[in-house]
Amino acid sequence: MFDAFVQVVRQDLLAAFRHQSAILNPIWFFVIVVTLFPLGLGSDPTLLSRIAPGIIWVAALLAALLSFERLFKDDFIDGSLEQMMLSPYPLAWLVSAKIFGHWVLTGLPILLVSPLLAVFLSLKMDAFCALFLTLLIGTPILSLLGAIGVALTVGLRKGGILLSLIMLPFSIPILIFSTMAIEAASFGQSYLGFIALLLAMLVGAITLAPFAIAAALRVSVS
Amino acid sequence: MWKWLHPYAKAEHSYALAGKLMPWFLVLTIPSFIIGIVWGLAFAPADYQQGDSFRIIYIHVPAAMMAMAAYSTMAIAAFIGLVWQLRLAEMAVAAAAPVGAIYTFIALFTGAAWGKPMWGAWWVWDARLTSELILLFVYMGIIALYNAFSDKVLAGRAASILTLVGVINLPIIHFSVVWWNTLHQGATITKFEQPSIATEMLIPLLIMIFSFATFLGVMILYRFRSELLQREQHRAWVIKLVQIKGRG
Amino acid sequence: MAFTSFSDFIAMGGYSFYVWLAYGVSIVSVIALITHSVLTRKKILKQVEQRLQREKRIKAANNREHSL
């Protein structure tokens, strides 16, 4: 069972490393969007550090959205999604593996470039720690939520914009709690409560989302 | 109960039942709407702080409450539809979504029109208005997803799944009042032990809530019947129905 | 009665614009919903009827061919 999980993740990573632009493009997009804000709003460090959490999180959301399209599309087109459904392993389990692979390719790079953005937006150390934590917990939730939307729209010809319509509203709570945590951190207050809330949401998403995704994929593939 | 419910899993019976129930809901809606709106607009005393602008409450609060109720209905229907593979329940989801969306829009708009004289701004990023806006987004997403599928059976399933996913949003909307510090008044009616609203004001409000609820019922039943007709249009009972209508 | 005259009622204690705007837009949106629902139902019924008539015509044409 665990072998199947590793196998799916490995395949996805290998396929992604073969087309490296697939990994790099969303990251570049993320960095460029964040860069646009100081250029549009002026380079006042106090202003930037105040709005940094919102900017970084909105950019992360948009970058995640861009990368989602590929999550199930290739497998849908070449029929490996149907293969997955026929395999002896539960679909929800295999889907979790795919999402984990997707997070490694999109969420993890965002985490890795976040120090750079913290420097760009003159975030203080405390705020950066909070940002890092919220990204660490929040991006997997985004991947799980987004995968539901992808699974629902993968069979449609024009699924792209619809995906953002149905997925973005659900990601609002993550955005709110994350930015509140970072704000609290930048004022030197404790932000553990928000982190706990995000963790609770992550646990909920990990346990429930794979089943919703599996059900949605069954609708899309039939 | 299942034995009793079983015949209604058949489309034709459900169509007839919905048709029988609809006039009853309509009979309840119209008088309660007239009484409620006249009472609320003309007879209820003006609020000592907000003056006559508080009369917007008689549509704002019922619309907001019933927007949530519509979503709960959809969630229950979606759950039944997905667990027991009941397509009729999935149709009810599709039937209720536009009604809920309109109610949400009304709640938002009246909230804005109430906010302008009270807060001095059409829009304030207050917890309840914001979550109402998110609810509208969720409704729009469900409707858009439903319309994107050409196969309505698949569309119903997809919309049901999305509805259940959105249920996570409902508690967040509910508790957002607690989480954010806001300009909006706290929940007015639920505090029964310490009523912050005078009885003369409360009665028409309850009447309006009742009216909005029954109207929700009317619209869901009506749209549910249309959904049924559309999906079953090649079945004998629909053809018979159309032929009878054509002659009459 | 909370108001002394009809013009008083229309004035809504100085809030007439907001109150009537809120009520007006709500009624218009409810009417739009009703209209949409009714039109959808009519459209479906019409579609079915047209289909039936087309089938009838085809049948009639086939019959004529056979009788010739």
Side-chain angles (χ1 to χ4, degrees), chain A:
Chain A
M1 182 113 166
F2 197 72
D3 287 348
F5 188 93
V6 175
Q7 192 65 27
V8 171
V9 173
R10 215 171 63 108
Q11 257 171 19
D12 274 15
L13 293 187
L14 281 178
F17 280 116
R18 246 173 264 136
H19 327 267
Q20 281 166 357
S21 64
I23 320 173
L24 290 176
N25 286 357
I27 293 304
W28 275 124
F29 173 82
F30 177 60
V31 174
I32 290 171
V33 168
V34 172
T35 322
L36 288 178
F37 280 91
L39 294 175
L41 294 166
S43 56
D44 175 21
T46 47
L47 172 73
L48 284 182
S49 62
R50 203 167 58 79
I51 57 175
I55 294 173
I56 293 177
W57 258 99
V58 170
L61 258 178
L62 295 177
L65 209 56
L66 272 188
S67 64
F68 278 136
E69 222 174 321
R70 291 191 54 263
L71 180 52
F72 294 125
K73 199 83 190 178
D74 298 340
D75 291 338
F76 177 74
I77 291 168
D78 68 14
S80 41
L81 215 52
E82 267 170 271
Q83 292 280 310
M84 266 190 189
M85 285 176 191
L86 297 173
S87 87
Y89 303 104
L91 182 58
W93 179 248
L94 297 178
V95 155
S96 320
K98 280 206 75 78
I99 295 163
F100 180 72
H102 180 262
W103 180 77
V104 170
L105 291 170
T106 59
L108 208 55
I110 286 180
L111 274 176
L112 294 180
V113 295
S114 64
L116 172 72
L117 300 174
V119 174
F120 276 6
L121 298 173
S122 18
L123 267 184
K124 287 191 214 83
M125 196 55 204
D126 296 347
F128 171 69
C129 289
L131 171 70
F132 194 82
L133 266 178
T134 56
L135 281 175
L136 182 67
I137 304 167
T139 46
I141 312 179
L142 280 188
S143 291
L144 286 159
L145 277 179
I148 300 175
V150 181
L152 284 170
T153 55
V154 72
L156 300 169
R157 221 171 301 145
K158 288 177 193 159
I161 186 101
L162 190 61
L163 167 66
S164 34
L165 273 185
I166 62 183
M167 188 223 133
L168 282 178
F170 294 138
S171 53
I172 289 172
I174 307 167
L175 178 72
I176 288 171
F177 292 133
S178 301
T179 49
M180 278 167 99
I182 302 168
E183 242 164 62
S186 64
F187 290 125
Q189 294 159 346
S190 161
Y191 54 88
L192 280 178
F194 297 116
I195 298 293
L197 272 173
L198 281 172
L199 267 177
M201 285 165 77
L202 177 62
V203 171
I206 288 178
T207 44
L208 296 175
F211 297 101
I213 297 161
L217 282 177
R218 289 221 166 80
V219 173
S220 287
V221 172
S222 62

